[in-house]
Amino acid sequence: MVLGFEKMSRLDFGVTEEKPNCPVSKLSPNLAPPLSASVTKCNDPMRDKVRELLFEALSRVSGEASNDIIEEVNACDPSRIAVSVESTMFQNWGRMNGTHKMKYRSIMFNIKDPNNPDFRRKVLLGHVKP
């Protein structure tokens, strides 16, 4: 298991059948793992900012979700997913500078885009690999 998802090997924003590590608990909402209130820092201001922006965008999913998937959405931790996405971007491209800066910006724009809630939800639920 790598970065919070099963069998992740490369950055690919295509749709996948892999399941995230945020299964819906059928037992009780109180038994779900605690959600992080903030993003784990890596002591690199640029990377920390990317993680915070991803976290803010992914945190909106619960407010955008329909009643039929709200339990599945609430079982996911946007903080952990934000760290996973940023870590994968960093692992594949390095620091956000030079030629890779546009890749980072494009991904950030699409995840934050208010007109693209489906993409944001798919990232949070693990239907789109980091």
Side-chain angles (χ1 to χ4, degrees), residues 6 17 25 27 46 48 54 60 66 77 121 128-129:
E6 297 172 6
E17 297 298 317
S25 173
L27 301 174
M46 190 177 299
D48 288 342
L54 287 168
R60 292 191 308 221
S66 61
D77 185 349
R121 177 182 41 81
V128 175
K129 292 190 275 183

Side-chain angles (χ1 to χ4, degrees), residues 12-130:
D12 179 5
F13 274 86
V15 176
T16 181
E17 297 298 317
E18 293 178 358
K19 303 290 184 213
N21 290 334
C22 56
V24 177
S25 173
K26 299 289 182 190
L27 301 174
S28 165
N30 297 333
L31 297 178
L35 299 180
S36 301
S38 63
V39 180
T40 303
K41 305 286 184 188
C42 66
N43 296 323
D44 179 335
M46 190 177 299
R47 290 184 65 192
D48 288 342
K49 183 64 177 176
V50 170
R51 289 176 178 199
E52 289 172 17
L53 292 171
L54 287 168
F55 171 70
E56 289 172 13
L58 294 172
S59 294
R60 292 191 308 221
V61 174
S62 65
E64 301 167 338
S66 61
N67 289 336
D68 58 328
I69 63 164
I70 194 70
E71 285 184 36
E72 184 180 7
V73 167
N74 288 337
C76 295
D77 185 349
S79 175
R80 290 181 187 152
I81 304 302
V83 169
S84 176
V85 170
E86 185 281 328
S87 295
T88 302
M89 290 168 39
F90 182 78
Q91 180 181 12
N92 284 280
W93 300 325
R95 292 185 51 81
M96 185 175 85
N97 56 21
T99 59
H100 302 299
K101 189 172 189 173
M102 292 307 294
K103 291 178 183 180
Y104 272 87
R105 283 185 172 182
S106 176
I107 291 167
M108 298 297 294
F109 174 81
N110 284 299
I111 289 177
K112 291 173 28 178
D113 185 1
N115 297 321
N116 206 354
D118 290 335
F119 180 61
R120 197 171 21 262
R121 177 182 41 81
K122 288 177 182 179
V123 171
L124 180 70
L125 296 177
H127 300 155
V128 175
K129 292 190 275 183

